[in-house]
Amino acid sequence: HEAREALAWPGLYAEAAELRRLRFPPCAVVVNEFDPLRDDGVGFHARCVEAGLFGCSLQTLRGTTHGVGSYLPNLLPEVTRDQCRRIVRFARG
């Protein structure tokens, strides 16, 4: 896709200044330790911190690969439950 829309793809296209300008909301970034997309998530969280966004968090699911907590919940059910609990806590504030 040719468009580089920060709101549609904040992890790829939004720099810290853009996140501030957009008044980007707090976010919970969850990454898997052995995921080819991990560094993208970690980098997005770093830009959120650099932008001074309040309430952004980063969680690394140790020992997991892409999709374990979301797409393959029966593979490691305890990881999936923990991930869901953390997201609910974040959403409730």
Side-chain angles (χ1 to χ4, degrees):
H1 194 273
E2 294 298 318
R4 294 179 182 243
E5 178 58 49
L7 282 175
W9 301 97
L12 293 176
Y13 300 125
E15 296 301 322
E18 181 79 355
L19 293 170
R20 275 192 302 274
R21 184 186 71 74
L22 293 170
R23 296 182 182 163
F24 208 78
C27 58
V29 179
V30 180
V31 298
N32 301 92
E33 184 176 17
F34 302 110
D35 187 335
L37 302 175
R38 183 196 66 212
D39 292 346
D40 293 338
V42 172
F44 174 65
H45 178 260
R47 289 192 302 279
C48 289
V49 170
E50 181 185 342
L53 300 180
F54 175 76
C56 294
S57 65
L58 174 65
Q59 176 190 7
T60 300
L61 300 177
R62 302 278 178 217
T64 61
T65 61
H66 184 84
V68 165
S70 304
Y71 308 118
L72 304 167
N74 294 328
L75 188 61
L76 292 171
E78 67 282 357
V79 170
T80 300
R81 280 192 295 277
D82 182 55
Q83 179 180 351
C84 289
R85 284 188 196 106
R86 289 173 186 257
I87 291 170
V88 168
R89 276 197 305 269
F90 173 82
R92 289 182 176 163

